[in-house]
Amino acid sequence: MNLSRISIAGGGIGGLSAALALQHFGYRVAVFEQASELREVGAGVIITPNAMHALNFLGVGERIANEAGPGEALATRHFQTGEILKLRAAGTDYAERYGATYHQVHRVDLHTALASAVRRNDPDCVFLGHRFEALTQDSEKVAARFANGKIYTSDILIGCDGNASKVRESVFGEETVNYTGQVAFRALLPMASVPPSIQERPFAMFVGANRYFLHYPLRRRTVMNLIGVGREPRWQEEGWRIPAPVEEFENLYNDLYPPALQLIRAISPGTLFKWGLRDREPLRQYSKGRVTMLGDAAHPMTPFLGQGACIAIEDAMVLGRAFDAANRIEEALLMYENTRKERANGVQLASRRQADEIQGVTTKGANPGKDALERGLYSYNPVTVPLAGGIQFDPE
Ligand SMILES: Cc1cc2nc3c(=O)[nH]c(=O)nc-3n(C[C@H](O)[C@H](O)[C@H](O)COP(=O)(O)OP(=O)(O)OC[C@H]3O[C@@H](n4cnc5c(N)ncnc54)[C@H](O)[C@@H]3O)c2cc1C
């Protein structure tokens, strides 16, 4: 297709992956990011084989894997006693099963690898300090207006502006948002502050009634990433950068297996963040006219499957392939949506269900559907998955 430019609102993991995939297939993109610099929150993200396929294809997988180190085996442990209930294979074993590895990655490293690759392709394609506000479209173009007063016109606009997407609101209107009654905490610790017994099993999830606590190492075991998710009936804000006092985390988790509780106690003041988990219904359609949605903007999901970033990367890969395969914009957008919607909305709903599964598991053998669910998640390959038809026939 002969397009002059594709605009992307949001320069997070989804937006940059989409930019890279479209550039790979020869398209010119412009990424509009609201922040004054391209940055990510200091936290971990687990990149599973389904997303690694795309990162490898786009030429950034090796860098990300090298910086992260091999994916660790996961121990599921009893919340209070620390007993190991289950062991899952390490990331390298996944290469045999799924054709790609998995890794525990520092979000900053993933984001930086994507941003460098995008800018290497086109040094001037990222526009910082551009907060998307509104759009208008007709049969030939879409015009996006930004908070700084600028207006940019392009052939297509892709909304990659996260959970509370303004592009989604502009296209589909306001929606109902439910607070899940759960709050998440995150922090990073230098490995020197981690008790040796925890370092021996560096990737573990402590599961208890109504709570879980997860830790895994980043950057070749030099940093430990901590996440806790528990019930908190009072309303909590959604942002990922809300500072929290360490005592709040400690008080909610004071019956945690003592060596793991030491991790929480070792968090330096000012380095703990929390956010309230909100839930939204899946979108019935991703695209309208010349605008489509990708990543959390298309399918905002709770974190209980740890798949939000991976599904955004899958979206990006399929979007690029659809633009490569189609002859017209409408066809490309339909092909993208038809290939992705069932999968991504399905993961969004499965993630919601997983909250109760994870937080109810305290005994051996519980959560039996998890292995099948993981196989379904990890065996998807966005580089080779057949593209669903993109031609819509008018009903007679
Ligand atoms: C602590 C934590 C741990 C997680 N762990 C995992 C994990 O292990 N595995 C996994 O797959 N997923 C994980 N996730 C989820 C995953 O990070 C998200 O699903 C993923 O970041 C979605 O990417 P995105 O680009 O769609 O949205 P975002 O990452 O939210 O990026 C949106 C971007 O758009 C920008 N933006 C927002 N509004 C505007 C606007 N109006 N105009 C212009 N720009 C705008 C933002 O500044 C941001 O740069 C985790 C999330 C968190 C917070």
Side-chain angles (χ1 to χ4, degrees):
M1 264 182 297
N2 191 14
L3 303 181
S4 59
R5 187 169 66 173
I6 298 177
S7 289
I8 294 174
I13 292 165
L16 292 176
S17 301
L20 191 57
L22 288 164
Q23 286 174 333
H24 175 88
F25 290 108
Y27 290 98
R28 197 169 150 234
V29 298
V31 179
F32 298 98
E33 165 58 43
Q34 64 178 358
S36 55
E37 53 179 326
L38 274 185
R39 59 182 179 156
E40 252 301 338
V41 295
V45 56
I46 295 178
I47 297 299
T48 47
N50 44 318
M52 276 310 284
H53 284 299
L55 296 173
N56 288 336
F57 179 88
L58 295 171
V60 289
E62 198 180 330
R63 168 174 172 174
I64 290 162
N66 275 339
E67 287 174 351
E72 310 276 356
L74 167 65
T76 304
R77 306 183 70 166
H78 190 283
F79 195 84
Q80 280 141 340
T81 66
E83 180 196 356
I84 294 179
L85 305 172
K86 192 173 171 186
L87 263 183
R88 196 180 73 185
T92 38
D93 296 6
Y94 280 56
E96 229 167 85
R97 225 177 293 168
Y98 301 112
T101 46
Y102 85 77
H103 301 270
Q104 288 91 8
V105 182
H106 198 301
R107 290 178 73 96
V108 170
D109 297 343
L110 171 61
H111 193 253
T112 305
L114 290 167
S116 316
V118 165
R119 282 178 156 152
R120 213 175 305 123
N121 289 333
D122 179 355
D124 304 317
C125 70
V126 179
F127 296 77
L128 299 170
H130 279 68
R131 182 155 56 83
F132 169 87
E133 277 197 337
L135 64 87
T136 52
Q137 59 171 324
D138 58 28
S139 60
E140 294 188 352
K141 60 185 182 324
V142 50
R145 181 164 54 76
F146 297 88
N148 58 15
K150 299 208 167 125
I151 295 176
Y152 286 89
T153 301
S154 53
D155 297 299
I156 294 156
L157 173 69
I158 305 167
C160 301
D161 51 342
N163 279 329
S165 169
K166 194 79 185 157
V167 178
R168 187 176 68 228
E169 189 190 304
S170 306
V171 175
F172 297 118
E174 276 193 38
E175 66 205 345
T176 315
V177 185
N178 299 311
Y179 173 54
T180 58
Q182 311 221 36
V183 66
F185 294 88
R186 68 171 171 88
L188 295 179
L189 277 188
M191 202 53 86
S193 317
V194 173
S197 68
I198 295 285
Q199 288 193 37
E200 275 170 31
R201 286 240 167 263
F203 183 15
M205 178 178 233
F206 292 82
V207 288
N210 295 328
R211 281 166 302 168
Y212 71 83
F213 177 75
L214 177 70
H215 62 75
Y216 56 81
L218 306 173
R219 293 185 173 161
R220 298 190 164 270
R221 292 194 176 190
T222 57
V223 178
M224 188 66 101
N225 182 54
L226 315 183
I227 302 257
V229 180
R231 313 271 164 167
E232 164 58 83
R234 286 165 299 159
W235 176 265
Q236 298 283 344
E237 287 173 73
E238 188 172 33
W240 292 346
R241 297 171 200 262
I242 303 159
V246 178
E247 303 74 57
E248 191 182 330
F249 196 10
E250 193 182 332
N251 290 341
L252 278 170
Y253 286 75
N254 60 10
D255 56 337
L256 179 62
Y257 175 59
L261 184 58
Q262 273 187 52
L263 294 178
I264 296 180
R265 292 191 172 136
I267 298 170
S268 301
T271 65
L272 176 67
F273 300 88
K274 66 173 179 178
W275 70 104
L277 304 182
R278 297 190 190 181
D279 200 12
R280 298 168 170 89
E281 291 305 316
L283 282 183
R284 290 152 68 102
Q285 61 189 92
Y286 289 178
S287 313
K288 197 166 179 186
R290 290 172 169 261
V291 184
T292 197
M293 245 51 71
L294 183 147
D296 281 355
H299 33 71
M301 61 180 78
T302 53
F304 300 106
L305 279 176
Q307 278 290 311
C310 294
I311 297 294
I313 294 167
E314 286 183 6
D315 284 349
M317 188 67 238
V318 169
L319 182 82
R321 288 178 57 211
F323 271 85
D324 187 47
N327 296 313
R328 290 182 304 119
I329 289 172
E330 300 76 14
E331 191 189 350
L333 292 180
L334 208 57
M335 211 180 250
Y336 160 66
E337 178 167 331
N338 287 346
T339 310
R340 292 300 301 157
K341 203 170 60 183
E342 193 182 335
R343 158 94 177 162
N345 288 6
V347 177
Q348 184 182 357
L349 292 173
S351 205
R352 178 190 285 172
R353 287 193 296 274
Q354 197 61 23
D356 293 332
E357 296 285 335
I358 295 180
Q359 295 170 8
V361 180
T362 48
T363 51
K364 262 190 185 122
N367 206 359
K370 189 72 197 307
D371 289 345
L373 184 60
E374 279 186 1
R375 272 195 302 279
L377 287 170
Y378 302 167
S379 58
Y380 185 94
N381 183 344
V383 180
T384 55
V385 70
L387 295 173
I391 298 176
Q392 198 169 35
F393 296 99
D394 289 331
E396 290 287 316

